[in-house]
């Protein structure tokens, strides 16, 4: 069972597909990830020009990084999703993939359009904070 409890608001709109806050209680261990990037096992950027394709690889890489730290997507308390685009439809395309991977665990998140990301042809990056019970 996850130590994370997602918090809904009775005052803010329900027309969002994420929780407004998250809490964690008990003896905990925190996990901060680096931004997960759309890189394959050889370090090459995948799905060049394809926001959704890159988001798929990013979420697979995020899941792996969390597992290596002893955590899972359901232990996430907050994500930040970066998309190298000023087009809202690109942000939504990345967000839809992230949400699909998160399933019912709709942790608080921030979605941002940015000017550029660090790797050649990179369009998507996701970082996360997770907590696991000790």
């Amino acid at each position: 069972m996850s130590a994370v409890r997602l918090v809904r608001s009775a005052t803010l709109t329900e027309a969002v597909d994420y929780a407004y806050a998250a809490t964690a209680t008990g003896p905990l261990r925190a996990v901060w990830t680096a931004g997960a990037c759309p890189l394959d096992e050889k370090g090459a950027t995948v799905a060049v020009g394809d926001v959704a394709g890159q988001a798929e690889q990013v979420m697979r890489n995020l899941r792996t990084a969390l597992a290596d730290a002893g955590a899972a997507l359901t232990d996430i308390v907050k994500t930040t999703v970066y998309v190298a685009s000023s087009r809202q439809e690109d942000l939504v395309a990345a967000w839809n993939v992230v949400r699909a991977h998160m399933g019912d665990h709709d942790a608080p998140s921030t979605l941002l359009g940015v000017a550029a990301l660090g790797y050649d042809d990179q369009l998507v990056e996701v970082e996360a904070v997770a907590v696991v019970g000790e």
Side-chain angles (χ1 to χ4, degrees):
M1 179 200 265
S2 179
V4 177
R5 183 177 71 84
L6 300 179
V7 179
R8 312 289 173 209
S9 175
T11 307
L12 298 171
T13 182
E14 294 179 11
V16 299
D17 58 353
Y18 53 85
Y20 281 102
T23 63
T25 56
L28 303 172
R29 181 173 50 84
V31 178
W32 288 268
T33 71
C37 298
L39 304 178
D40 66 15
E41 61 280 347
K42 295 178 183 171
T45 302
V46 303
V48 173
D50 179 0
V51 170
Q54 287 196 6
E56 284 288 343
Q57 182 69 39
V58 163
M59 292 307 291
R60 286 192 296 269
N61 290 348
L62 179 61
R63 188 183 306 266
T64 299
L66 287 167
D68 289 346
L73 293 178
T74 54
D75 297 315
I76 290 175
V77 294
K78 170 79 166 72
T79 61
T80 305
V81 179
Y82 302 94
V83 182
S85 178
S86 61
R87 297 173 21 153
Q88 188 176 30
E89 56 267 27
D90 290 339
L91 277 70
V92 170
W95 178 251
N96 287 340
V97 173
V98 171
R99 285 296 305 125
H101 279 266
M102 295 297 289
D104 291 337
H105 187 72
D106 56 349
S109 187
T110 300
L111 174 63
L112 301 167
V114 297
L117 292 167
Y119 291 100
D120 289 342
D121 301 311
Q122 181 182 359
L123 299 173
V124 181
E125 187 164 330
V126 178
E127 64 183 15
V129 178
V131 295
V132 292
E134 289 290 345

